Amino acid sequence: VKRHQKHQLYGDTMANRSPTIKNVCGWAIRKATFGAFVANLLLGAEAFTVSLSTTFGALHQVELSSRRWRFSPGCGFGLLRDSYITTTGSGRCERILSAKEGTSENREYVRGERPDGRTIRLRDLESRFLDRIKRCSAVCDIESELSDAALLFNEAASRIDESTIKYHNLPTMLIARALKKIVNISDRGRRGKIAKHDSEMHITRKLIPELIEAFGKQVLTESKIVASGRSRHPASGFNVYALQEILYVFARFQQIRKRVNPAKSGDLRPLAEKVCSVIVTTDFVRKVGPRRLVETLWALAVLGINHRIDLLTAICDRLTKADAFGMLSGKELATGLWSQAVMNRPHIGMIKVFMRRLRKQRVREDMTPRDLSRALWASGQCIEQLDGIAAVVTVGSDAELPDLIDIDLQVATLRNEAETMCHTLTREVVKPSNIKIMTAGQVADILSCCVSCEMDNSTPMLKDLSRHLQNEFVLKDATCGDISRILLSFQKLYLVQERETICKLGERFLAIVNEKGTAACSPKELNTNLRSVVMLFPRKPQIEYFDAAAILMLDHGMGDSSLISGEQVSFVEDRTFEGTFLSKCNEFEVSNIIWSFAKAKIFSKNILLVLADRMMELSDRCSPSSASRVLWSYTMLVSQQEEGSKELNGDSTTFPLGNGTVDDMREKQFELFRVLGGVLLSSQLTPVDASAAMWAMAKASYPLDMGIFDHLAEVLACDFILERAMVRHIAQALWACGKMTVWEDPLQEKMGLVKTPPPYLDHARKFATFLLSLEDQLTSKDVAQSIWALGRLGIADRDIVRGFAVRATIVSPACNAREIANILWGLSKLGFSDRNTIRVMTDRLTNTSALEHCTSQDAACVMYALGKMKIRDPNTFTILSTVIMERLNDASARAIANALWAHEAVNIVPPRAMLNLWANQYLEIVGLHQNTTAGKGSTISQP
């Protein structure tokens, strides 16, 4: 028993007021039987003393040896809400009168006009318990109050035992208020504001399911009545405030469960939907206030109930009224917008008035950074949703002719409102009092809105947010999800100037992965991080992100050190991914991860092999787009490694090659083509998919499934596909057609077939015509690939060749040595010998900047082309011969043979040093060359 504070109640006060529970100032329960207690409580003597602080929790421990009361059996919950406890002067509880049984005499009796007895309505008793629960500060106090209430509200109490007390007959408002209080106390304990004890947690785990079960039974009963269409007495309806609070409680429980254990978060949605079915039968929207309506929207959004269009429309229509949204604070307005964005059911009227309201100075000045970021994020999401799904916009019910409404105009108007609100609220964001306490997640929300509103990347506010992200106290609380959202916004806004911030975010991402391992982030977050960094910095991406990816993907249950050293990763056929990070990756995520490594030119044999194995494991659910992306990426990395490209960013320290040889990579590459090739036999291919797959097959020299290549070329040549294609994709496909011709003649000869043109020859001609129709968009690389492919395919159409030759002279200042060599080689194969075009190309090649990156192979190819076209240019031959002599160690025997043949073809004496080195290095003979030039038909054969 707590400390007592006694108060004296005088008879004259009681005589002037009705003797209901509202007139009783406290409870008297000191060594009294239940009957005597009820008498002292309800009779209202002329003067008596009660204790205000004695808890009602000990009621069930009172001696009940003589039972002097009874409850009317069969009285349900709905009747109890407006029922009455009648007592006699002796304090004996006679019975419960239902609302139907209550006569006018009874009602007068309730008002205190019967001097010989006292009556108290259970609704008033419910109010008293609600007030007591509101003052509770611990879960054990709430349990005590509910136990006391259960004694009074249960229909039958023949055996009252603490262990068997149930809450099925408690009013819904009492259950909802108790659950809400428990949630608030639990949340305060989670935040560390109050101490948590084991006993409290035990009571909470026991009490919550019992209360939800009790409420659920009553809701199910009510929903059955609603579904059956039976009429109900007005007194038996649900309390609309209880329905609103229970939805709020369910949403809070859903949040807590997902936060504590996402894998085992119970689903309260079915019961919440039953509550919604009861709500729509009441005048809920009219009775509850705007703040409760916003809470209801929030609860529906958290629970994922967005299909109750009738309920959502009614709530949103109400909130668009001035007397409703004018009562809402900035936090509540932000919550309403957030709910609309999460449910993906944008209501134009509500969004518009909320955005305009948030621009008011007196509204936004009280908003916290959390409220500001939430409002900005929600407005951006709503704009994107309206842009994408304008056809399913929820129009207000007052629109009589929704078909006549210009949705595009409304969306444009709403976008202007959002941009205006964005600029207004961002001024509040950058205030020192707000930005200094802003978290990384809130910055990510704001950046997301900037992306949706297409804000200019030179806006000073973006610089301030980026600078804020470099603070240690912000980075230490940043999660992988926050980092991925920030990087995605940086990539969409193209904030390449914020490299320092991106570097610090990468260091934080790597630290999280080192600390938590595979549980640090989801595959989607890793994919977003890698892709965003590569899109921002394709040549020199931040290596920390790829370090983190290596740790995640090479985790096979071993320690991190052994994984990074690359010593224990075995390349076996039966590799399994159960329990690893890759086991959580789907085919789309795997394809994007390997694509990021290819774009960043980071080669790691271990990573490539495990990604290839995982992709083949997912081949049965692989899409054509993912298959094409994987084949292109894998082929790109393997080919660059084989060619010894200096552009590769991987090294043996950061990304070890691991055991195995390059042959392992080539075998895995052919296995990928074999497994994923069938997926490409689809009609649902995009231009990018078809072009990338064709390039991969040609670059990998994969001739085993030529039918797949023919199908890809046929799909890409369709008119509706070409209309969607970009120039570089078609140029790449044309190059692939030229590359694959090398396999046509050997295969036909081996099979004893008559030489016939390849099936894709006509498609290649169509590709060339398409490229010339967009010649203004052709780059130097596109022109070089196209002319080279035309030469390999033998497409010598005069108009086509002339068109590409003219474009080549225009883009020649941007050509490098390799592109010039391919252009000249292709023109020579087609019999084109326009000296003006050739002179333009050779003048560009002999320029100092082009010669710096000219290889011996490029020089030999150009000389061979000039020899083929019988163009005698001693200056060009001298310069290119010098290039070969300087890079003789890199020159192949075929390159030197082509150069010597070209000299003879145009009757130019090759340098003595070149011939001597050729004889010494490759023929192992000395000094056979004379100062006379061999005539035609000499022993140097034409390649």
Side-chain angles (χ1 to χ4, degrees):
V1 179
K2 298 181 180 178
R3 186 176 53 188
H4 294 194
Q5 179 182 1
K6 298 185 177 181
H7 292 263
Q8 190 75 16
L9 299 180
Y10 294 96
D12 56 345
T13 302
M14 296 297 296
N16 296 328
R17 304 180 66 180
S18 61
T20 65
I21 192 66
K22 295 180 181 179
N23 306 130
V24 181
C25 298
W27 301 91
I29 178 172
R30 305 175 66 186
K31 299 181 182 179
T33 64
F34 182 77
F37 165 72
V38 173
N40 291 331
L41 173 66
L42 301 176
L43 289 181
E46 290 185 358
F48 63 92
T49 301
V50 297
S51 171
L52 289 178
S53 54
T54 301
T55 63
F56 200 10
L59 176 62
H60 57 275
Q61 299 176 358
V62 177
E63 178 64 32
L64 299 173
S65 56
S66 58
R67 180 171 175 264
R68 295 182 292 173
W69 69 94
R70 69 178 182 273
F71 290 93
S72 176
C75 187
F77 167 77
L79 298 179
L80 275 174
R81 290 184 62 253
D82 278 298
S83 301
Y84 312 104
I85 299 177
T86 62
T87 64
T88 62
S90 62
R92 182 177 180 182
C93 179
E94 290 293 336
R95 64 177 303 197
I96 294 179
L97 296 178
S98 68
K100 293 181 179 180
E101 296 173 320
T103 61
S104 58
E105 182 181 8
N106 294 131
R107 296 189 183 96
E108 293 173 355
Y109 179 61
V110 172
R111 290 196 296 270
E113 298 177 3
R114 291 283 299 274
D116 58 342
R118 296 291 185 266
T119 300
I120 176 174
R121 289 202 310 174
L122 290 187
R123 175 175 291 178
D124 298 328
L125 191 62
E126 174 187 340
S127 300
R128 170 60 63 180
F129 276 107
L130 289 173
D131 189 48
R132 295 179 67 86
I133 288 177
K134 183 178 179 180
R135 295 195 298 267
C136 290
S137 59
V139 179
C140 59
D141 297 336
I142 297 175
E143 184 194 29
S144 178
E145 297 294 343
L146 291 175
S147 301
D148 298 338
L151 286 172
L152 291 178
F153 285 98
N154 278 343
E155 298 181 22
S158 57
R159 295 183 61 185
I160 299 180
D161 184 11
E162 182 180 4
S163 62
T164 60
I165 291 178
K166 300 296 181 182
Y167 308 110
H168 295 167
N169 294 316
L170 289 181
T172 51
M173 190 62 191
L174 193 58
I175 297 176
R177 186 62 56 81
L179 284 170
K180 187 174 183 179
K181 189 69 175 180
I182 292 172
V183 170
N184 291 335
I185 293 174
S186 301
D187 192 51
R188 289 173 61 196
R190 182 185 62 82
R191 298 172 184 268
K193 295 183 179 180
I194 59 174
K196 294 179 67 177
H197 303 286
D198 293 340
S199 58
E200 285 276 299
M201 296 177 64
H202 175 74
I203 295 172
T204 302
R205 294 192 187 100
K206 174 186 174 183
L207 189 58
I208 289 176
E210 292 179 351
L211 292 176
I212 292 179
E213 180 186 3
F215 189 91
K217 288 188 175 181
Q218 298 178 27
V219 169
L220 290 175
T221 302
E222 184 72 12
S223 61
K224 289 179 181 178
I225 296 175
V226 172
S228 63
R230 290 180 295 174
S231 59
R232 299 171 300 165
H233 191 275
S236 65
F238 266 71
N239 188 320
V240 292
Y241 298 102
L243 296 173
Q244 184 273 324
E245 290 198 2
I246 204 67
L247 280 178
Y248 173 82
V249 168
F250 285 173
R252 291 288 301 275
F253 277 140
Q254 195 81 345
Q255 280 188 327
I256 294 173
R257 287 183 175 183
K258 287 183 178 180
R259 188 165 52 237
V260 174
N261 192 348
K264 297 183 178 180
S265 58
D267 190 6
L268 295 171
R269 179 172 172 173
L271 184 55
E273 289 182 348
K274 294 291 184 182
V275 175
C276 292
S277 65
V278 176
I279 284 179
V280 295
T281 63
T282 65
D283 51 354
F284 175 82
V285 176
R286 184 181 63 83
K287 284 188 175 181
V288 301
R291 292 185 175 87
R292 286 183 177 269
L293 290 177
V294 171
E295 277 190 2
T296 305
L297 277 181
W298 174 85
L300 295 175
V302 172
L303 292 167
I305 303 176
N306 63 347
H307 59 278
R308 301 303 301 248
I309 306 299
D310 50 352
L311 178 60
L312 293 176
T313 303
I315 293 176
C316 294
D317 286 346
R318 176 70 183 100
L319 290 175
T320 57
K321 306 301 181 183
D323 62 327
F325 68 79
M327 297 174 60
L328 300 177
S329 63
K331 179 179 180 180
E332 291 159 346
L333 293 169
T335 302
L337 286 176
W338 181 89
S339 304
Q340 286 279 289
V342 171
M343 286 189 289
N344 199 8
R345 293 285 185 182
H347 187 285
I348 290 181
M350 175 182 161
I351 295 173
K352 184 185 296 184
V353 298
F354 274 35
M355 286 181 178
R356 289 180 176 176
R357 183 69 179 170
L358 283 169
R359 287 155 47 189
K360 301 291 184 181
Q361 175 65 28
R362 64 178 180 274
V363 174
R364 68 175 190 268
E365 64 185 4
D366 295 330
M367 297 177 69
T368 63
R370 181 176 182 271
D371 302 332
L372 292 169
S373 62
R374 173 174 277 199
L376 288 168
W377 176 86
S379 62
Q381 292 297 308
C382 289
I383 290 300
E384 291 184 359
Q385 292 167 9
L386 288 174
D387 286 340
I389 55 171
V392 291
V393 172
T394 305
V395 183
S397 61
D398 55 345
E400 298 179 356
L401 297 174
D403 293 336
L404 300 179
I405 297 177
D406 189 352
I407 298 297
D408 292 336
L409 179 61
Q410 292 193 48
V411 172
T413 304
L414 200 61
R415 174 175 283 278
N416 292 334
E417 294 286 348
E419 291 176 356
T420 305
M421 189 199 75
C422 178
H423 288 285
T424 303
L425 294 188
T426 49
R427 289 200 296 269
E428 296 290 330
V429 167
V430 296
K431 288 183 177 179
S433 59
N434 287 328
I435 197 170
K436 69 180 181 181
I437 60 174
M438 194 168 291
T439 64
Q442 293 165 359
V443 173
D445 290 340
I446 297 171
L447 290 173
S448 174
C449 178
C450 295
V451 171
S452 301
C453 294
E454 300 176 357
M455 185 175 290
D456 185 29
N457 60 5
S458 61
T459 305
M461 184 269 298
L462 298 176
K463 182 71 175 178
D464 295 337
L465 292 177
S466 177
R467 191 182 303 112
H468 176 68
L469 287 172
Q470 299 178 20
N471 295 323
E472 290 298 327
F473 70 90
V474 178
L475 288 172
K476 72 177 182 179
D477 294 328
T479 63
C480 290
D482 299 335
I483 294 173
S484 66
R485 293 168 57 209
I486 292 171
L487 289 175
L488 182 61
S489 298
F490 274 24
Q491 180 251 312
K492 291 183 177 181
L493 293 169
Y494 200 62
L495 296 177
V496 292
Q497 66 271 22
E498 305 301 334
R499 189 175 188 119
E500 184 179 357
T501 302
I502 295 172
C503 182
K504 287 186 175 294
L505 290 173
E507 293 172 356
R508 171 59 182 165
F509 179 57
L510 180 58
I512 296 174
V513 172
N514 280 324
E515 177 184 354
K516 299 182 179 180
T518 56
C521 70
S522 66
K524 181 179 179 181
E525 293 167 351
L526 175 64
N527 176 33
T528 302
N529 290 349
L530 296 180
R531 184 177 178 86
S532 300
V533 171
V534 167
M535 295 294 288
L536 283 169
F537 310 107
R539 296 187 180 273
K540 287 292 182 181
Q542 295 297 322
I543 206 69
E544 293 84 2
Y545 296 96
F546 293 91
D547 287 337
I551 296 173
L552 292 170
M553 288 183 292
L554 297 180
D555 184 5
H556 285 230
M558 300 176 290
D560 288 345
S561 59
S562 61
L563 291 172
I564 298 304
S565 66
E567 297 174 357
Q568 299 187 28
V569 180
S570 59
F571 307 109
V572 293
E573 296 297 330
D574 57 347
R575 179 187 287 121
T576 60
F577 298 94
E578 184 177 356
T580 64
F581 180 82
L582 282 176
S583 66
K584 299 182 289 185
C585 297
N586 57 36
E587 46 88 17
F588 175 79
E589 291 159 348
V590 173
S591 64
N592 273 286
I593 291 172
I594 191 173
W595 178 88
S596 299
F597 274 84
K599 292 294 287 185
K601 295 183 174 62
I602 295 178
F603 179 87
S604 173
K605 185 180 298 181
N606 290 349
I607 292 176
L608 284 180
L609 290 175
V610 296
L611 287 173
D613 286 341
R614 177 58 178 165
M615 197 65 193
M616 288 187 289
E617 190 179 84
L618 298 170
S619 60
D620 57 337
R621 65 193 93 163
C622 182
S623 65
S625 179
S626 297
S628 172
R629 193 179 302 115
V630 167
L631 293 175
W632 180 90
S633 304
Y634 197 96
T635 303
M636 172 68 75
L637 288 172
V638 171
S639 62
Q640 289 181 340
Q641 178 66 17
E642 288 180 340
E643 295 170 2
S645 175
K646 296 180 180 180
E647 295 181 357
L648 288 175
N649 294 318
D651 55 59
S652 58
T653 302
T654 307
F655 298 101
L657 296 180
N659 50 13
T661 63
V662 178
D663 293 336
D664 296 328
M665 308 295 295
R666 178 62 71 178
E667 290 176 6
K668 190 66 68 176
Q669 183 182 31
F670 272 67
E671 190 176 354
L672 272 174
F673 276 105
R674 179 181 59 81
V675 174
L676 300 180
V679 181
L680 298 174
L681 295 174
S682 170
S683 59
Q684 299 182 358
L685 289 166
T686 65
V688 179
D689 300 337
S691 174
M694 291 174 67
W695 180 91
M697 294 185 71
K699 189 69 175 178
S701 300
Y702 181 75
L704 301 183
D705 293 318
M706 295 297 293
I708 296 176
F709 189 88
D710 298 340
H711 170 75
L712 294 172
E714 182 181 359
V715 171
L716 189 57
C718 295
D719 293 335
F720 71 94
I721 294 292
L722 285 176
E723 292 174 359
R724 298 160 47 197
M726 299 178 66
V727 165
R728 61 187 179 90
H729 299 147
I730 303 303
Q732 183 174 261
L734 181 57
W735 176 90
C737 292
K739 182 73 173 177
M740 290 301 286
T741 56
V742 72
W743 299 103
E744 293 295 334
D745 294 343
L747 287 176
Q748 291 177 357
E749 293 177 2
K750 187 175 181 179
M751 300 174 65
L753 301 175
V754 179
K755 185 177 180 180
T756 57
Y760 47 82
L761 183 61
D762 293 336
H763 303 319
R765 186 175 286 107
K766 190 172 184 178
F767 296 156
T769 305
F770 171 82
L771 291 173
L772 285 178
S773 66
L774 301 173
E775 61 178 345
D776 294 340
Q777 303 178 24
L778 290 174
T779 64
S780 59
K781 182 178 180 180
D782 300 332
V783 172
Q785 285 182 332
S786 300
I787 294 177
W788 181 90
L790 293 176
R792 291 297 296 265
L793 292 166
I795 301 176
D797 187 285
R798 182 181 181 86
D799 294 335
I800 293 177
V801 175
R802 169 61 63 179
F804 278 106
V806 171
R807 183 61 183 172
T809 59
I810 296 174
V811 300
S812 60
C815 291
N816 57 34
R818 177 62 56 85
E819 292 167 351
I820 293 173
N822 287 338
I823 290 173
L824 292 176
W825 184 92
L827 292 177
S828 69
K829 294 290 287 185
L830 295 171
F832 182 85
S833 58
D834 182 74
R835 294 185 177 273
N836 292 330
T837 302
I838 304 305
R839 186 180 299 110
V840 170
M841 304 308 297
T842 54
D843 288 346
R844 166 59 185 162
L845 180 62
T846 54
N847 186 282
T848 305
S849 60
L851 282 178
E852 290 178 357
H853 302 286
C854 183
T855 65
S856 57
Q857 180 183 353
D858 299 333
C861 184
V862 171
M863 286 191 288
Y864 173 80
L866 294 176
K868 185 80 172 175
M869 291 184 287
K870 304 299 182 181
I871 296 178
R872 194 173 188 274
D873 188 349
N875 181 49
T876 301
F877 271 78
T878 301
I879 294 174
L880 295 179
S881 297
T882 304
V883 171
I884 294 178
M885 295 299 299
E886 292 175 352
R887 298 168 174 81
L888 191 61
N889 292 333
D890 298 331
S892 65
R894 181 170 182 173
I896 296 179
N898 285 342
L900 293 174
W901 178 89
H903 280 81
E904 277 201 38
V906 295
N907 200 20
I908 295 178
V909 178
R912 179 183 295 274
M914 178 189 294
L915 189 56
N916 289 340
L917 285 174
W918 160 258
N920 292 333
Q921 295 289 335
Y922 297 100
L923 302 181
E924 297 182 357
I925 56 178
V926 181
L928 292 182
H929 185 263
Q930 304 296 329
N931 286 333
T932 58
T933 303
K936 239 175 182 180
S938 64
T939 56
I940 301 179
S941 61
Q942 178 179 346

